[in-house]
Amino acid sequence: MAERELLCIYPWMAISQESPGNRLSVCCWSKVNIKNVEKRSLEEIWNGPEYRYLRQKMLEGDIEKICKDTCPFVVNGKYVAKPDRIDGIGREYVENKRLMWKEIESGKVVISSKPTYVKLYPTNRCNLSCIMCRQGNVKSEHIFDKMMNEIRGWFKYMDRIEFVGGEPLLSKEVIEFVKEFDPAEYPDLKIHIITNGILLNKNIIDMMDGKFRSLSISVDGASKEVYESIRVGGKWEVLMKNMSYLAEKVRGKDVEVKILTVVMKRNIDDLFNIAVMAKNFGFSVGYQPISGIWHGQSIERRRDIIRAIRQLKKAQKYYPEGVYVNSAISDLSRKLDGGGSLLKKVFNRVVSIGGKWL
């Protein structure tokens, strides 16, 4: 059978807890919610009706029914093909990855391969009160505990476990997991954490050494004034101290550190400076569109949209190998003309200077 090319292979590889509560999804861009998690095991969910539907629609190319149009894969239209070789250390990991691709090529919707990527939402609690954030104080530890207990049997097949929130470093369970995790036992599995960086002190960074492949830090300003006005409760000096130590610790290692920046009215004039800061640290930076209208921070006025796009394009030109701008530019351009000719022009221009997708 000829090799299949799919827009996305997440329905065959990922389970994601995107928010607190009793539901899962395949990723943050999915339209399909998987409910009643407490009443079903993850093994049942993995080949349950929702995942079978997701796989079938992906095989048919019926993307509109399962994927949000803001998904970078959808907008970019770049298809995923089977790699020339499956790299890995553990025998069970490599065999599972080969089986996954065999099942994709065979068009299977009920599969025997196991997930290689699991995202967990340990808590909705946070140590900051960001002006654009809609997070409440809803706890999700009961779902997290259930998932952690069940996925341990999958660790030998996995290459990524991701913790998001809230602030995942507030979770004692996450700290304990990182502390006890033995890379020698699961050599292909690496940890990823999305954090605001305030709790990412020397002790935590030293504890994580050798156990994580990537780390994302949410930073929305390149100055004390802008940063602290957005990340209320955050201390600029603490963040800079933590990021400086992290940069020193990962230098020369196969670890990606990415700054995540939400594009909003408050930081339009700081967007380029954030790219300069990221490059100085040796980190990459991904610019994300704001979700919804929060505290009046959504960029709606035409002149503000144009200012933001110019800042993003300037940042990308300055640091082409480390800046990811297209998701944010896509969102802003849609507001200008509903995704018409101007959007196409912007995309073509970004691609022409080596634009990347977040």
Side-chain angles (χ1 to χ4, degrees):
M1 177 179 291
E3 287 187 1
R4 289 181 181 271
E5 285 195 345
L6 301 175
L7 188 68
C8 172
I9 62 170
Y10 270 51
W12 287 266
M13 62 171 277
I15 288 183
S16 179
Q17 185 188 11
E18 293 293 339
S19 63
N22 188 20
R23 62 190 178 94
L24 304 175
S25 66
V26 68
C27 73
C28 63
W29 309 104
S30 177
K31 292 181 179 179
V32 180
N33 286 321
I34 302 165
K35 301 179 181 179
N36 300 319
V37 176
E38 291 177 321
K39 298 178 181 179
R40 294 185 286 172
S41 70
L42 292 182
E43 286 281 1
E44 291 173 320
I45 290 170
W46 185 234
N47 276 310
E50 299 94 343
Y51 265 92
R52 296 199 304 269
Y53 175 78
L54 284 162
R55 291 168 189 145
Q56 187 62 49
K57 291 302 176 185
M58 189 63 71
L59 289 167
E60 294 171 357
D62 195 356
I63 305 301
E64 290 186 0
K65 292 183 179 179
I66 59 174
C67 302
K68 298 175 183 177
D69 61 5
T70 49
C71 169
F73 289 106
V74 173
V75 180
N76 196 27
K78 184 177 181 180
Y79 284 70
V80 180
K82 181 181 178 181
D84 293 332
R85 55 180 292 176
I86 305 295
D87 293 320
I89 299 172
R91 177 181 58 82
E92 290 165 307
Y93 169 78
V94 173
E95 289 178 352
N96 182 69
K97 204 71 178 284
R98 287 172 178 164
L99 177 59
M100 181 194 79
W101 276 106
K102 183 178 180 180
E103 291 175 328
I104 291 172
E105 292 178 323
S106 301
K108 290 190 175 183
V109 297
V110 177
I111 62 177
S112 299
S113 57
K114 307 300 182 185
T116 61
Y117 166 38
V118 176
K119 181 190 287 188
L120 297 169
Y121 203 109
T123 182
N124 205 34
R125 293 174 292 125
C126 191
N127 54 329
L128 304 183
S129 299
C130 304
I131 62 174
M132 70 296 185
C133 187
R134 58 185 172 181
Q135 304 285 10
N137 197 28
V138 180
K139 296 184 179 181
S140 58
E141 281 87 344
H142 58 295
I143 299 297
F144 171 74
D145 290 342
K146 167 186 166 61
M147 292 187 68
M148 280 299 296
N149 289 334
E150 293 191 39
I151 68 171
R152 289 183 185 277
W154 289 344
F155 281 177
K156 57 190 175 185
Y157 308 120
M158 290 168 54
D159 51 32
R160 183 181 177 104
I161 181 169
E162 182 172 347
F163 298 105
V164 299
E167 173 51 57
L169 294 181
L170 281 174
S171 169
K172 294 179 181 179
E173 290 79 9
V174 169
I175 298 299
E176 196 63 28
F177 171 79
V178 174
K179 184 178 180 180
E180 294 181 354
F181 181 75
D182 182 5
E185 186 176 3
Y186 304 106
D188 296 291
L189 177 58
K190 295 294 182 180
I191 300 167
H192 177 79
I193 293 178
I194 299 179
T195 173
N196 58 44
I198 295 298
L199 301 178
L200 193 66
N201 56 38
K202 182 179 183 297
N203 291 337
I204 297 293
I205 293 170
D206 288 344
M207 182 179 67
M208 294 173 65
D209 190 25
K211 300 179 182 181
F212 68 104
R213 177 174 290 134
S214 57
L215 184 72
S216 296
I217 306 174
S218 299
V219 184
D220 308 297
S223 67
K224 176 181 175 68
E225 178 187 3
V226 175
Y227 170 79
E228 291 187 359
S229 70
I230 295 172
R231 300 265 163 183
V232 179
K235 299 298 182 184
W236 177 253
E237 293 82 5
V238 173
L239 178 69
M240 290 298 100
K241 180 180 179 181
N242 292 347
M243 289 174 63
S244 296
Y245 184 73
L246 178 65
E248 177 186 334
K249 195 74 174 179
V250 303
R251 188 173 293 116
K253 297 179 180 179
D254 186 21
V255 176
E256 180 189 10
V257 180
K258 177 186 283 187
I259 290 174
L260 297 180
T261 298
V262 178
V263 177
M264 68 189 91
K265 285 200 297 187
R266 184 67 185 86
N267 66 2
I268 290 177
D269 294 324
D270 238 20
L271 296 176
F272 171 72
N273 293 332
I274 292 170
V276 175
M277 177 180 66
K279 187 174 183 180
N280 288 339
F281 277 121
F283 303 160
S284 61
V285 56
Y287 295 92
Q288 303 172 309
I290 194 168
S291 177
I293 301 176
W294 301 99
H295 294 268
Q297 287 302 315
S298 179
I299 303 173
E300 302 295 333
R301 293 192 302 181
R302 181 179 180 84
R303 64 184 180 185
D304 290 338
I305 293 172
I306 293 172
R307 280 171 56 216
I309 290 176
R310 286 174 176 169
Q311 282 271 321
L312 292 170
K313 290 169 67 175
K314 182 181 178 182
Q316 205 286 322
K317 187 175 182 179
Y318 168 77
Y319 188 21
E321 71 275 18
V323 164
Y324 299 77
V325 298
N326 289 28
S327 290
I329 288 181
S330 169
D331 179 77
L332 292 167
S333 299
R334 287 168 189 268
K335 295 177 180 180
L336 281 178
D337 72 341
S341 58
L342 178 59
L343 176 62
K344 195 169 185 179
K345 284 182 182 179
V346 173
F347 284 153
N348 289 341
R349 175 58 181 156
V350 172
V351 170
S352 73
I353 58 174
K356 299 179 183 179
W357 290 95
L358 175 63

